[in-house]
Amino acid sequence: MRVKLLALTQACDITGVSDRNAAVLVNATLKDMGILTKKESSKVIDRNTIRRLRANGVHFDGRNDRTLIQITKGGESKRKTITEEHVVLVSKPGSLYLGHVTPNSGTSLEIRKSILDVMAQQSKMV
């Protein structure tokens, strides 16, 4: 039986808990809850299970880049350098490139919206 421990893996990523420590904590909790016993040990979670669960997912990284744009004003073209936030999206395992986004602003809400838009486009292609 495959168990999806999404909240656990997210909490481990946020707090920096290792795969081994996460497995120890999960198994201790299962034991306290009576799910793991000497007779019933099929629900034991090992560090490799945690590692696999953490490896799957969409990862992103952003940075501010100077971007050269062309502005046409009064029939005259000029180049201007602006600073833009660029966010790259990859799917793991395998580091499959999903795309990149340039949010309208650098706020977390705008970055989130941009990432969700790309994910919606990706799901339509599948």
Side-chain angles (χ1 to χ4, degrees):
M1 178 178 89
R2 292 274 180 181
V3 178
K4 294 182 181 182
L5 303 171
L6 182 60
L8 172 71
T9 55
Q10 287 176 343
C12 290
D13 287 341
I14 291 168
T15 59
V17 174
S18 70
D19 298 335
R20 184 181 307 264
N21 290 343
V24 168
L25 292 170
V26 168
N27 290 324
T29 303
L30 293 174
K31 187 175 180 182
D32 286 343
M33 295 174 67
I35 296 170
L36 285 182
T37 63
K38 290 188 183 218
K39 292 181 182 178
E40 178 56 58
S41 62
S42 65
K43 305 270 192 275
V44 170
I45 305 291
D46 67 354
R47 67 184 173 129
N48 292 320
T49 301
I50 302 292
R51 182 176 296 134
R52 279 191 304 273
L53 291 169
R54 288 174 100 168
N56 292 319
V58 175
H59 301 262
F60 64 94
D61 190 18
R63 62 182 263 171
N64 289 323
D65 289 322
R66 291 187 354 220
T67 304
L68 189 63
I69 62 169
Q70 189 164 342
I71 299 173
T72 304
K73 190 174 185 179
E76 201 175 298
S77 294
K78 293 183 180 181
R79 292 192 288 181
K80 181 180 178 182
T81 302
I82 62 171
T83 302
E84 287 184 319
E85 175 85 18
H86 293 144
V87 179
V88 177
L89 304 166
V90 293
S91 173
K92 291 195 177 188
S95 296
L96 175 67
Y97 174 77
L98 297 177
H100 71 277
V101 295
T102 305
N104 293 330
S105 71
T107 65
S108 60
L109 290 176
E110 190 60 39
I111 294 170
R112 176 183 175 267
K113 180 185 175 300
S114 299
I115 290 172
L116 291 176
D117 289 345
V118 168
M119 298 306 296
Q121 290 172 1
Q122 290 290 328
S123 67
K124 288 178 186 176
M125 291 181 185
V126 174

